[in-house]
Amino acid sequence: MEKRQVFRIFLGIVTFGCIWGFLEAITFLGALHSHWGDLFLYHLCPCFLMAATFGSFVMGSALAIYKKPAMLVGIGLVAAAFCWLSVPFLPTSVRSTYYSPIVASAAAAIIESIFLALVARFSMKRLERSIPTRIGVGVLSALLASTLFILSTTYGVDKPICADLGYARPLPDFLAIGGVVWMSAAAIFLPLGYLAGVKLQSRFAPEVARRPSLSYVASTATIAFCCGIGTVAFMVGL
């Protein structure tokens, strides 16, 4: 793979990861932070909802454009890193309290991206041709991700995380509520994201082929915008 192609993929990872992180910053981790408790009443965690909705849509778009399932892991890592932008704006006295949802949000982003990359890797050809396959990939990856998410945050990270977030529930109970919601959201937003990626590719690919520098400028501007506005959202929301 030539250097230009490698750089293009790297830039795509950072761009789509920042878009995912930006969407989280202006909603659950920012403006709607004070309303998290409303979801806990229904035994739902905003951490996996962000991965199920924003993550599925963004990764679906990237998959349609680049056809590289492995890059989804990088997108998840960038989105996970975005979660920590809020830390500098937290008062020192409450930082330890806020670390719990940040860790869980980052874990959900990474786990979702890993399993979607794995499932998409083995169904990429059919994924390009079939909408039911895209729905199935979203459901299967979400089932695997939701299982590992609750196991890792309950037993592998720190039990107080679950107690703080309000979803310290047995695995079957969690899957019957949060897991079903995760799978349903992924089944909807992954195909929608893939469709959006196809539309973007058909609309802008000819122009980018004529002027390759245009994609670099657009990606750099997107990254700067997402980081800048996302940081402001954290400042306001937290």
Side-chain angles (χ1 to χ4, degrees):
M1 187 182 297
E2 63 179 21
K3 291 183 178 180
R4 175 179 290 183
Q5 181 69 3
V6 172
F7 180 72
R8 175 176 174 269
I9 293 174
F10 173 77
L11 198 59
I13 289 173
V14 178
T15 301
F16 280 95
C18 284
I19 292 173
W20 179 356
F22 165 75
L23 292 173
E24 292 194 13
I26 63 174
T27 53
F28 290 112
L29 290 178
L32 300 181
H33 182 272
S34 60
H35 298 285
W36 278 18
D38 297 338
L39 294 171
F40 298 154
L41 297 176
Y42 304 98
H43 306 295
L44 296 175
C45 171
C47 306
F48 73 77
L49 287 178
M50 290 184 285
T53 54
F54 303 143
S56 295
F57 186 89
V58 169
M59 290 190 290
S61 298
L63 200 58
I65 294 172
Y66 293 91
K67 307 295 191 297
K68 302 286 185 181
M71 73 180 293
L72 302 183
V73 179
I75 292 174
L77 290 172
V78 174
F82 222 95
C83 297
W84 294 91
L85 281 178
S86 62
V87 173
F89 308 108
L90 297 175
T92 304
S93 59
V94 301
R95 282 188 179 183
S96 60
T97 304
Y98 280 81
Y99 282 158
S100 296
I102 292 173
V103 170
S105 297
I110 295 171
I111 291 172
E112 168 77 358
S113 64
I114 289 174
F115 280 111
L116 182 55
L118 288 174
V119 176
R121 171 67 180 80
F122 293 101
S123 54
M124 192 63 215
K125 291 183 179 180
R126 287 179 294 172
L127 194 70
E128 296 180 24
R129 302 190 301 266
S130 171
I131 293 178
T133 299
R134 298 170 196 170
I135 295 174
V137 167
V139 170
L140 179 57
S141 63
L143 173 61
L144 297 173
S146 59
T147 303
L148 182 58
F149 175 73
I150 189 60
L151 288 175
S152 62
T153 52
T154 302
Y155 305 108
V157 181
D158 189 7
K159 289 186 178 180
I161 290 178
C162 297
D164 292 344
L165 293 177
Y167 60 86
R169 308 174 65 83
L171 177 60
D173 193 5
F174 175 82
L175 292 178
I177 303 173
V180 170
V181 173
W182 196 331
M183 287 184 283
S184 301
I188 296 171
F189 286 96
L190 179 66
L192 287 177
Y194 198 96
L195 178 61
V198 170
K199 297 294 185 181
L200 287 173
Q201 180 78 344
S202 62
R203 172 65 179 83
F204 295 105
E207 184 66 23
V208 171
R210 290 194 300 269
R211 301 169 58 191
S213 60
L214 183 63
S215 64
Y216 302 147
V217 173
S219 295
T220 302
T222 300
I223 293 169
F225 174 83
C226 290
C227 291
I229 301 300
T231 301
V232 172
F234 281 126
M235 294 173 63
V236 174
L238 297 177

mmCIF file of all heavy atoms in Angstrom, residues 59-60 63-64 67-72 112-128 133-134 136-138 140-141 144 190 194:
data_model
loop_
_atom_site.group_PDB
_atom_site.id
_atom_site.type_symbol
_atom_site.label_atom_id
_atom_site.label_comp_id
_atom_site.label_asym_id
_atom_site.label_seq_id
_atom_site.Cartn_x
_atom_site.Cartn_y
_atom_site.Cartn_z
ATOM 1 N N MET A 59 -19.477 4.624 11.841
ATOM 2 C CA MET A 59 -18.674 3.510 11.323
ATOM 3 C C MET A 59 -19.293 2.912 10.062
ATOM 4 O O MET A 59 -18.579 2.448 9.170
ATOM 5 C CB MET A 59 -18.496 2.450 12.402
ATOM 6 C CG MET A 59 -17.580 2.901 13.531
ATOM 7 S SD MET A 59 -17.111 1.563 14.681
ATOM 8 C CE MET A 59 -18.694 1.270 15.492
ATOM 9 N N GLY A 60 -20.627 2.932 9.971
ATOM 10 C CA GLY A 60 -21.267 2.480 8.748
ATOM 11 C C GLY A 60 -20.881 3.345 7.558
ATOM 12 O O GLY A 60 -20.607 2.841 6.458
ATOM 13 N N LEU A 63 -17.288 2.619 6.601
ATOM 14 C CA LEU A 63 -17.187 1.309 5.952
ATOM 15 C C LEU A 63 -17.611 1.388 4.490
ATOM 16 O O LEU A 63 -16.998 0.766 3.611
ATOM 17 C CB LEU A 63 -18.068 0.316 6.707
ATOM 18 C CG LEU A 63 -17.792 -1.172 6.530
ATOM 19 C CD1 LEU A 63 -16.368 -1.516 6.916
ATOM 20 C CD2 LEU A 63 -18.783 -1.982 7.366
ATOM 21 N N ALA A 64 -18.648 2.172 4.215
ATOM 22 C CA ALA A 64 -19.119 2.320 2.839
ATOM 23 C C ALA A 64 -18.105 3.054 1.964
ATOM 24 O O ALA A 64 -17.959 2.757 0.778
ATOM 25 C CB ALA A 64 -20.457 3.060 2.833
ATOM 26 N N LYS A 67 -14.224 0.765 2.675
ATOM 27 C CA LYS A 67 -14.254 -0.702 2.514
ATOM 28 C C LYS A 67 -13.128 -1.372 3.294
ATOM 29 O O LYS A 67 -12.585 -2.391 2.880
ATOM 30 C CB LYS A 67 -14.126 -1.079 1.028
ATOM 31 C CG LYS A 67 -15.131 -0.402 0.107
ATOM 32 C CD LYS A 67 -16.542 -0.835 0.394
ATOM 33 C CE LYS A 67 -17.523 -0.381 -0.673
ATOM 34 N NZ LYS A 67 -17.654 1.073 -0.800
ATOM 35 N N LYS A 68 -12.781 -0.803 4.455
ATOM 36 C CA LYS A 68 -11.693 -1.321 5.288
ATOM 37 C C LYS A 68 -12.219 -1.572 6.705
ATOM 38 O O LYS A 68 -12.182 -0.677 7.556
ATOM 39 C CB LYS A 68 -10.525 -0.327 5.346
ATOM 40 C CG LYS A 68 -9.922 0.041 4.008
ATOM 41 C CD LYS A 68 -9.085 -1.093 3.453
ATOM 42 C CE LYS A 68 -8.379 -0.659 2.169
ATOM 43 N NZ LYS A 68 -7.577 -1.764 1.594
ATOM 44 N N PRO A 69 -12.720 -2.769 6.994
ATOM 45 C CA PRO A 69 -13.272 -3.025 8.336
ATOM 46 C C PRO A 69 -12.273 -2.781 9.463
ATOM 47 O O PRO A 69 -12.666 -2.338 10.557
ATOM 48 C CB PRO A 69 -13.672 -4.507 8.263
ATOM 49 C CG PRO A 69 -13.927 -4.758 6.812
ATOM 50 C CD PRO A 69 -12.920 -3.912 6.087
ATOM 51 N N ALA A 70 -11.009 -3.053 9.220
ATOM 52 C CA ALA A 70 -10.014 -2.909 10.287
ATOM 53 C C ALA A 70 -9.901 -1.473 10.782
ATOM 54 O O ALA A 70 -9.574 -1.245 11.953
ATOM 55 C CB ALA A 70 -8.649 -3.393 9.798
ATOM 56 N N MET A 71 -10.193 -0.504 9.924
ATOM 57 C CA MET A 71 -10.053 0.888 10.334
ATOM 58 C C MET A 71 -11.117 1.294 11.362
ATOM 59 O O MET A 71 -10.968 2.305 12.036
ATOM 60 C CB MET A 71 -10.102 1.817 9.120
ATOM 61 C CG MET A 71 -11.471 1.981 8.492
ATOM 62 S SD MET A 71 -11.471 3.093 7.044
ATOM 63 C CE MET A 71 -11.103 4.682 7.793
ATOM 64 N N LEU A 72 -12.169 0.490 11.496
ATOM 65 C CA LEU A 72 -13.213 0.807 12.465
ATOM 66 C C LEU A 72 -12.673 0.791 13.892
ATOM 67 O O LEU A 72 -13.135 1.548 14.747
ATOM 68 C CB LEU A 72 -14.376 -0.176 12.338
ATOM 69 C CG LEU A 72 -15.062 -0.247 10.962
ATOM 70 C CD1 LEU A 72 -16.243 -1.209 11.023
ATOM 71 C CD2 LEU A 72 -15.507 1.134 10.496
ATOM 72 N N GLU A 112 -17.570 -1.729 20.829
ATOM 73 C CA GLU A 112 -18.453 -1.684 19.668
ATOM 74 C C GLU A 112 -17.650 -1.703 18.375
ATOM 75 O O GLU A 112 -17.983 -2.433 17.429
ATOM 76 C CB GLU A 112 -19.311 -0.418 19.718
ATOM 77 C CG GLU A 112 -20.065 -0.091 18.434
ATOM 78 C CD GLU A 112 -21.301 -0.944 18.230
ATOM 79 O OE1 GLU A 112 -21.565 -1.827 19.066
ATOM 80 O OE2 GLU A 112 -22.002 -0.724 17.226
ATOM 81 N N SER A 113 -16.580 -0.931 18.302
ATOM 82 C CA SER A 113 -15.795 -0.859 17.071
ATOM 83 C C SER A 113 -15.078 -2.172 16.784
ATOM 84 O O SER A 113 -14.979 -2.591 15.625
ATOM 85 C CB SER A 113 -14.783 0.290 17.165
ATOM 86 O OG SER A 113 -13.837 0.072 18.197
ATOM 87 N N ILE A 114 -14.587 -2.839 17.810
ATOM 88 C CA ILE A 114 -13.878 -4.107 17.610
ATOM 89 C C ILE A 114 -14.811 -5.166 17.044
ATOM 90 O O ILE A 114 -14.488 -5.846 16.050
ATOM 91 C CB ILE A 114 -13.251 -4.589 18.934
ATOM 92 C CG1 ILE A 114 -12.075 -3.689 19.321
ATOM 93 C CG2 ILE A 114 -12.786 -6.040 18.816
ATOM 94 C CD1 ILE A 114 -11.490 -4.003 20.685
ATOM 95 N N PHE A 115 -15.977 -5.316 17.629
ATOM 96 C CA PHE A 115 -16.886 -6.369 17.179
ATOM 97 C C PHE A 115 -17.506 -6.051 15.829
ATOM 98 O O PHE A 115 -17.728 -6.959 15.016
ATOM 99 C CB PHE A 115 -17.969 -6.625 18.226
ATOM 100 C CG PHE A 115 -17.500 -7.498 19.355
ATOM 101 C CD1 PHE A 115 -17.337 -6.985 20.626
ATOM 102 C CD2 PHE A 115 -17.189 -8.831 19.133
ATOM 103 C CE1 PHE A 115 -16.883 -7.785 21.662
ATOM 104 C CE2 PHE A 115 -16.733 -9.642 20.166
ATOM 105 C CZ PHE A 115 -16.581 -9.119 21.432
ATOM 106 N N LEU A 116 -17.775 -4.783 15.566
ATOM 107 C CA LEU A 116 -18.290 -4.437 14.242
ATOM 108 C C LEU A 116 -17.236 -4.704 13.174
ATOM 109 O O LEU A 116 -17.552 -5.196 12.083
ATOM 110 C CB LEU A 116 -18.726 -2.974 14.211
ATOM 111 C CG LEU A 116 -19.338 -2.499 12.884
ATOM 112 C CD1 LEU A 116 -20.505 -3.386 12.475
ATOM 113 C CD2 LEU A 116 -19.799 -1.048 12.999
ATOM 114 N N ALA A 117 -15.981 -4.400 13.482
ATOM 115 C CA ALA A 117 -14.898 -4.684 12.537
ATOM 116 C C ALA A 117 -14.777 -6.179 12.268
ATOM 117 O O ALA A 117 -14.600 -6.601 11.115
ATOM 118 C CB ALA A 117 -13.583 -4.129 13.078
ATOM 119 N N LEU A 118 -14.883 -6.985 13.311
ATOM 120 C CA LEU A 118 -14.765 -8.435 13.157
ATOM 121 C C LEU A 118 -15.911 -9.010 12.329
ATOM 122 O O LEU A 118 -15.696 -9.799 11.406
ATOM 123 C CB LEU A 118 -14.729 -9.111 14.528
ATOM 124 C CG LEU A 118 -13.445 -8.940 15.345
ATOM 125 C CD1 LEU A 118 -13.620 -9.535 16.740
ATOM 126 C CD2 LEU A 118 -12.268 -9.596 14.633
ATOM 127 N N VAL A 119 -17.129 -8.615 12.657
ATOM 128 C CA VAL A 119 -18.287 -9.149 11.932
ATOM 129 C C VAL A 119 -18.288 -8.664 10.485
ATOM 130 O O VAL A 119 -18.556 -9.444 9.559
ATOM 131 C CB VAL A 119 -19.594 -8.739 12.646
ATOM 132 C CG1 VAL A 119 -20.805 -9.211 11.841
ATOM 133 C CG2 VAL A 119 -19.647 -9.333 14.047
ATOM 134 N N ALA A 120 -17.977 -7.384 10.270
ATOM 135 C CA ALA A 120 -17.950 -6.844 8.911
ATOM 136 C C ALA A 120 -16.848 -7.482 8.072
ATOM 137 O O ALA A 120 -16.999 -7.632 6.851
ATOM 138 C CB ALA A 120 -17.765 -5.329 8.961
ATOM 139 N N ARG A 121 -15.765 -7.860 8.729
ATOM 140 C CA ARG A 121 -14.641 -8.473 8.006
ATOM 141 C C ARG A 121 -15.058 -9.747 7.288
ATOM 142 O O ARG A 121 -14.595 -10.036 6.182
ATOM 143 C CB ARG A 121 -13.512 -8.768 9.007
ATOM 144 C CG ARG A 121 -12.352 -9.593 8.449
ATOM 145 C CD ARG A 121 -11.594 -8.826 7.395
ATOM 146 N NE ARG A 121 -10.485 -9.594 6.866
ATOM 147 C CZ ARG A 121 -10.581 -10.554 5.936
ATOM 148 N NH1 ARG A 121 -11.795 -10.819 5.408
ATOM 149 N NH2 ARG A 121 -9.524 -11.211 5.509
ATOM 150 N N PHE A 122 -15.966 -10.498 7.887
ATOM 151 C CA PHE A 122 -16.363 -11.782 7.312
ATOM 152 C C PHE A 122 -17.622 -11.687 6.441
ATOM 153 O O PHE A 122 -18.094 -12.710 5.935
ATOM 154 C CB PHE A 122 -16.601 -12.799 8.432
ATOM 155 C CG PHE A 122 -15.351 -13.169 9.185
ATOM 156 C CD1 PHE A 122 -15.079 -12.614 10.433
ATOM 157 C CD2 PHE A 122 -14.436 -14.051 8.636
ATOM 158 C CE1 PHE A 122 -13.922 -12.949 11.121
ATOM 159 C CE2 PHE A 122 -13.273 -14.382 9.316
ATOM 160 C CZ PHE A 122 -13.013 -13.828 10.558
ATOM 161 N N SER A 123 -18.153 -10.497 6.286
ATOM 162 C CA SER A 123 -19.363 -10.360 5.466
ATOM 163 C C SER A 123 -19.304 -9.129 4.573
ATOM 164 O O SER A 123 -20.341 -8.590 4.182
ATOM 165 C CB SER A 123 -20.602 -10.290 6.373
ATOM 166 O OG SER A 123 -20.458 -9.271 7.330
ATOM 167 N N MET A 124 -18.088 -8.667 4.257
ATOM 168 C CA MET A 124 -17.928 -7.415 3.535
ATOM 169 C C MET A 124 -18.550 -7.463 2.139
ATOM 170 O O MET A 124 -19.207 -6.505 1.709
ATOM 171 C CB MET A 124 -16.442 -7.068 3.427
ATOM 172 C CG MET A 124 -16.180 -5.644 2.953
ATOM 173 S SD MET A 124 -16.820 -4.432 4.139
ATOM 174 C CE MET A 124 -17.364 -3.141 3.042
ATOM 175 N N LYS A 125 -18.381 -8.569 1.425
ATOM 176 C CA LYS A 125 -18.909 -8.635 0.064
ATOM 177 C C LYS A 125 -20.428 -8.571 0.053
ATOM 178 O O LYS A 125 -21.029 -7.851 -0.748
ATOM 179 C CB LYS A 125 -18.425 -9.915 -0.618
ATOM 180 C CG LYS A 125 -16.924 -9.921 -0.903
ATOM 181 C CD LYS A 125 -16.511 -11.177 -1.642
ATOM 182 C CE LYS A 125 -15.017 -11.158 -1.942
ATOM 183 N NZ LYS A 125 -14.585 -12.395 -2.668
ATOM 184 N N ARG A 126 -21.058 -9.322 0.943
ATOM 185 C CA ARG A 126 -22.518 -9.287 1.009
ATOM 186 C C ARG A 126 -23.015 -7.978 1.602
ATOM 187 O O ARG A 126 -24.116 -7.511 1.293
ATOM 188 C CB ARG A 126 -23.029 -10.463 1.844
ATOM 189 C CG ARG A 126 -22.913 -11.810 1.131
ATOM 190 C CD ARG A 126 -23.411 -12.923 2.015
ATOM 191 N NE ARG A 126 -22.536 -13.095 3.184
ATOM 192 C CZ ARG A 126 -22.819 -13.903 4.198
ATOM 193 N NH1 ARG A 126 -23.950 -14.590 4.207
ATOM 194 N NH2 ARG A 126 -21.977 -14.025 5.198
ATOM 195 N N LEU A 127 -22.202 -7.365 2.440
ATOM 196 C CA LEU A 127 -22.570 -6.095 3.061
ATOM 197 C C LEU A 127 -22.757 -5.019 2.001
ATOM 198 O O LEU A 127 -23.628 -4.148 2.131
ATOM 199 C CB LEU A 127 -21.492 -5.675 4.058
ATOM 200 C CG LEU A 127 -21.826 -4.560 5.050
ATOM 201 C CD1 LEU A 127 -22.847 -5.050 6.067
ATOM 202 C CD2 LEU A 127 -20.572 -4.094 5.778
ATOM 203 N N GLU A 128 -21.963 -5.056 0.957
ATOM 204 C CA GLU A 128 -22.028 -4.047 -0.091
ATOM 205 C C GLU A 128 -23.291 -4.177 -0.932
ATOM 206 O O GLU A 128 -23.758 -3.192 -1.500
ATOM 207 C CB GLU A 128 -20.799 -4.157 -0.995
ATOM 208 C CG GLU A 128 -19.482 -3.875 -0.295
ATOM 209 C CD GLU A 128 -18.302 -4.005 -1.234
ATOM 210 O OE1 GLU A 128 -18.510 -3.852 -2.458
ATOM 211 O OE2 GLU A 128 -17.184 -4.253 -0.765
ATOM 212 N N THR A 133 -28.252 -7.849 5.098
ATOM 213 C CA THR A 133 -26.951 -8.205 5.645
ATOM 214 C C THR A 133 -26.425 -7.097 6.545
ATOM 215 O O THR A 133 -25.855 -7.363 7.608
ATOM 216 C CB THR A 133 -25.936 -8.475 4.524
ATOM 217 O OG1 THR A 133 -26.403 -9.568 3.728
ATOM 218 C CG2 THR A 133 -24.565 -8.828 5.091
ATOM 219 N N ARG A 134 -26.618 -5.860 6.155
ATOM 220 C CA ARG A 134 -26.184 -4.733 6.985
ATOM 221 C C ARG A 134 -26.931 -4.729 8.319
ATOM 222 O O ARG A 134 -26.332 -4.468 9.366
ATOM 223 C CB ARG A 134 -26.425 -3.417 6.249
ATOM 224 C CG ARG A 134 -25.636 -3.285 4.953
ATOM 225 C CD ARG A 134 -26.096 -2.088 4.140
ATOM 226 N NE ARG A 134 -25.626 -2.178 2.766
ATOM 227 C CZ ARG A 134 -26.019 -1.386 1.778
ATOM 228 N NH1 ARG A 134 -26.891 -0.427 2.021
ATOM 229 N NH2 ARG A 134 -25.549 -1.558 0.551
ATOM 230 N N GLY A 136 -28.219 -7.406 9.741
ATOM 231 C CA GLY A 136 -27.712 -8.552 10.491
ATOM 232 C C GLY A 136 -26.350 -8.298 11.106
ATOM 233 O O GLY A 136 -26.087 -8.713 12.242
ATOM 234 N N VAL A 137 -25.488 -7.611 10.366
ATOM 235 C CA VAL A 137 -24.162 -7.270 10.899
ATOM 236 C C VAL A 137 -24.304 -6.353 12.116
ATOM 237 O O VAL A 137 -23.607 -6.524 13.122
ATOM 238 C CB VAL A 137 -23.308 -6.590 9.807
ATOM 239 C CG1 VAL A 137 -22.055 -5.952 10.409
ATOM 240 C CG2 VAL A 137 -22.910 -7.608 8.745
ATOM 241 N N GLY A 138 -25.210 -5.393 12.029
ATOM 242 C CA GLY A 138 -25.443 -4.499 13.167
ATOM 243 C C GLY A 138 -25.956 -5.245 14.384
ATOM 244 O O GLY A 138 -25.471 -5.041 15.501
ATOM 245 N N LEU A 140 -25.705 -8.583 15.112
ATOM 246 C CA LEU A 140 -24.736 -9.537 15.652
ATOM 247 C C LEU A 140 -23.604 -8.825 16.385
ATOM 248 O O LEU A 140 -23.211 -9.228 17.490
ATOM 249 C CB LEU A 140 -24.171 -10.404 14.526
ATOM 250 C CG LEU A 140 -23.121 -11.450 14.946
ATOM 251 C CD1 LEU A 140 -23.677 -12.376 16.016
ATOM 252 C CD2 LEU A 140 -22.635 -12.240 13.730
ATOM 253 N N SER A 141 -23.072 -7.763 15.789
ATOM 254 C CA SER A 141 -21.983 -7.035 16.449
ATOM 255 C C SER A 141 -22.457 -6.409 17.757
ATOM 256 O O SER A 141 -21.719 -6.390 18.751
ATOM 257 C CB SER A 141 -21.420 -5.959 15.515
ATOM 258 O OG SER A 141 -22.407 -4.988 15.203
ATOM 259 N N LEU A 144 -22.742 -9.163 20.524
ATOM 260 C CA LEU A 144 -21.425 -9.505 21.072
ATOM 261 C C LEU A 144 -20.879 -8.352 21.916
ATOM 262 O O LEU A 144 -20.320 -8.567 22.996
ATOM 263 C CB LEU A 144 -20.465 -9.829 19.928
ATOM 264 C CG LEU A 144 -20.830 -11.041 19.068
ATOM 265 C CD1 LEU A 144 -19.895 -11.137 17.864
ATOM 266 C CD2 LEU A 144 -20.771 -12.324 19.880
ATOM 267 N N LEU A 190 -26.669 1.442 11.598
ATOM 268 C CA LEU A 190 -25.593 0.965 10.721
ATOM 269 C C LEU A 190 -25.996 1.022 9.253
ATOM 270 O O LEU A 190 -25.253 1.574 8.428
ATOM 271 C CB LEU A 190 -25.174 -0.446 11.124
ATOM 272 C CG LEU A 190 -24.069 -1.061 10.245
ATOM 273 C CD1 LEU A 190 -22.760 -0.289 10.408
ATOM 274 C CD2 LEU A 190 -23.859 -2.534 10.571
ATOM 275 N N TYR A 194 -24.330 3.468 6.466
ATOM 276 C CA TYR A 194 -23.762 2.897 5.236
ATOM 277 C C TYR A 194 -24.362 3.590 4.011
ATOM 278 O O TYR A 194 -23.647 3.934 3.066
ATOM 279 C CB TYR A 194 -24.032 1.394 5.182
ATOM 280 C CG TYR A 194 -23.149 0.652 4.213
ATOM 281 C CD1 TYR A 194 -21.987 0.031 4.651
ATOM 282 C CD2 TYR A 194 -23.475 0.573 2.860
ATOM 283 C CE1 TYR A 194 -21.163 -0.648 3.765
ATOM 284 C CE2 TYR A 194 -22.663 -0.099 1.966
ATOM 285 C CZ TYR A 194 -21.504 -0.710 2.423
ATOM 286 O OH TYR A 194 -20.685 -1.377 1.549
#
